[in-house]
Amino acid sequence: MVSRETQEQISNIDKQIKELAAQRLKLATESDASMLKSEAAIKNRAYEREFMSSIESHDINMESCERVLFRTLFNLSHSYSASQIGHKSALSEQISKALTDTPKVFPTKALVACQGVEGAYSQIACDKMFNSANIMFFRTFEGVFQAVENGMVEYGVLPIENSSYGSVTAVYDLMKSHHFHIVRSYKLQIRHRLLAKPGTNFENIREVFSHEQAIGQCSAFFKDNKQIKVTIVENTAIAAKMVADSDRDDVAAISSSDCSTLYGLNIIKDDIVNSDHNFTRFICITKDLKIFPGANRASIMLALGHTPGALSNTLARFSALGLNLTKIESRPIQGRDFEFMFYLDIDASIYSDAFVNLLCQLDQDPEAFTYLGSYSEF
């Protein structure tokens, strides 16, 4: 049990640390304000490198703790200095304009791009987001991005993550090469069924068509039925259509119950998903930045310098504001060995000045940064 005297000593030290940290932040801000931004960056980098190299201790754990402490302090100092100096940010103006110009109610009708064909889960998610959507279907995810980017449609709906099978990496890989913003997200419960033509018995099934995500979400079923060949196609609805159009009686599709009705197929297996808690998260994207009322989640993507601690230093800036990161996804950057683009989802209100200020600071960092939007999830 900690003695009262020891606890008082700890309390006094904490107060001293608080006062000294405040003094340091103010002094660092005064120093940075007296120089050009580039001069301040070079000066700080040289000082911090020299200071960190001077940290030595016979206790390796103590040395590690000191390094984390001062790296965090340096990182927070940069953030505080930038917020106080108040460099003009184009992103801040874009966000302010979006908050003012975006309609106060999410649209009920729209022309929307989805990947696949009628009956696809993207179409089902789209109908959950819009009361009356006029849907244009595209063969690929890239087709959806291009349709939004080129102004062919106003909105696009894309799957990005499944609760049991992970991220839809094909969508994440396309994000860095297209201009778009997220305006809403929706979590759709996925209930896969095994569909076949009327009269087909399960014992006769030799081949199953479906999307790779659906195959992965039903991996236990295939483990128990090794005699069945798996054929991956672009979409679960396309799989159902292929079965309906086939003249074979030994094929089936993993798809939705909607597709069984749409394509005249029977449900011959209803319980084939690995988990009853199987949800896919879909995002609704548009070209120009729009922020509808109530936006309490944000998404960004950024590249970080290929240096030790780059990711932890960035995450510390979110932690300092008490922000919760709900998703971190990393994808390799083509042509740059062992460097990655990071995609972050954050529980954060766009109406928070502190959060907007952090976004603007990240936008001014030398590495690539993109604000993907603020939105509500349903």
Side-chain angles (χ1 to χ4, degrees), residues 305-323:
H306 195 42
T307 55
L311 177 59
S312 62
N313 291 340
T314 300
L315 298 184
R317 300 166 80 166
F318 292 95
S319 178
L321 295 179
L323 299 175

Side-chain angles (χ1 to χ4, degrees), residues 300-338:
I300 63 174
M301 59 182 179
L302 51 84
L304 300 174
H306 195 42
T307 55
L311 177 59
S312 62
N313 291 340
T314 300
L315 298 184
R317 300 166 80 166
F318 292 95
S319 178
L321 295 179
L323 299 175
N324 180 40
L325 299 180
T326 59
K327 170 79 174 178
I328 301 179
E329 179 75 21
S330 63
R331 299 301 301 158
I333 300 175
Q334 191 173 5
R336 294 166 64 178
D337 293 340
F338 303 107

Side-chain angles (χ1 to χ4, degrees), residues 88-130:
K88 266 290 184 182
S89 169
L91 178 58
S92 177
E93 295 176 359
Q94 292 170 14
I95 291 173
S96 179
K97 187 176 187 302
L99 287 170
T100 301
D101 295 348
T102 303
K104 301 306 178 187
V105 179
F106 194 79
T108 57
K109 299 179 180 181
L111 181 59
V112 185
C114 292
Q115 186 265 348
V117 296
E118 191 71 34
Y121 285 112
S122 289
Q123 172 250 303
I124 296 172
C126 177
D127 287 339
K128 296 289 186 182
M129 295 185 196
F130 299 90

Side-chain angles (χ1 to χ4, degrees), residues 8 36 38 50 80 116 159 163 182 194 257 280 315 360 363 373:
E8 288 178 351
L36 295 174
S38 59
E50 181 180 358
Y80 181 80
S163 58
I182 303 173
L194 189 67
S257 59
T280 294
L315 298 184
C360 294
D363 189 44

Side-chain angles (χ1 to χ4, degrees), residues 43-193:
K43 182 211 68 169
N44 290 334
R45 177 69 65 85
Y47 168 76
E48 290 165 14
R49 189 186 301 278
E50 181 180 358
F51 185 91
M52 294 297 285
S53 66
S54 70
I55 297 177
E56 293 182 0
S57 175
H58 295 299
D59 184 342
I60 189 64
N61 291 326
M62 178 65 73
E63 180 178 325
S64 176
C65 289
E66 289 176 355
R67 289 184 178 279
V68 171
L69 173 63
F70 281 99
R71 177 52 60 198
T72 302
L73 180 59
F74 294 153
N75 195 34
L76 294 177
S77 182
H78 299 323
S79 296
Y80 181 80
S81 177
S83 68
Q84 296 303 302
I85 295 172
H87 294 294
K88 266 290 184 182
S89 169
L91 178 58
S92 177
E93 295 176 359
Q94 292 170 14
I95 291 173
S96 179
K97 187 176 187 302
L99 287 170
T100 301
D101 295 348
T102 303
K104 301 306 178 187
V105 179
F106 194 79
T108 57
K109 299 179 180 181
L111 181 59
V112 185
C114 292
Q115 186 265 348
V117 296
E118 191 71 34
Y121 285 112
S122 289
Q123 172 250 303
I124 296 172
C126 177
D127 287 339
K128 296 289 186 182
M129 295 185 196
F130 299 90
N131 290 340
S132 180
N134 183 9
I135 300 177
M136 291 184 66
F137 289 102
F138 293 83
R139 189 176 63 83
T140 64
F141 293 136
E142 184 162 27
V144 176
F145 277 109
Q146 289 175 341
V148 171
E149 195 171 26
N150 297 336
M152 185 182 298
V153 299
E154 187 171 2
Y155 297 99
V157 171
L158 293 156
I160 60 168
E161 181 183 9
N162 177 263
S163 58
S164 61
Y165 197 63
S167 299
V168 184
T169 55
V171 174
Y172 278 104
D173 285 337
L174 288 166
M175 284 184 175
K176 57 181 174 288
S177 56
H178 292 281
H179 176 75
F180 69 98
H181 292 90
I182 303 173
V183 293
R184 177 158 290 197
S185 64
Y186 188 88
K187 292 173 73 174
L188 178 70
Q189 187 168 14
I190 305 297
R191 295 185 175 93
H192 294 305
R193 270 81 173 185

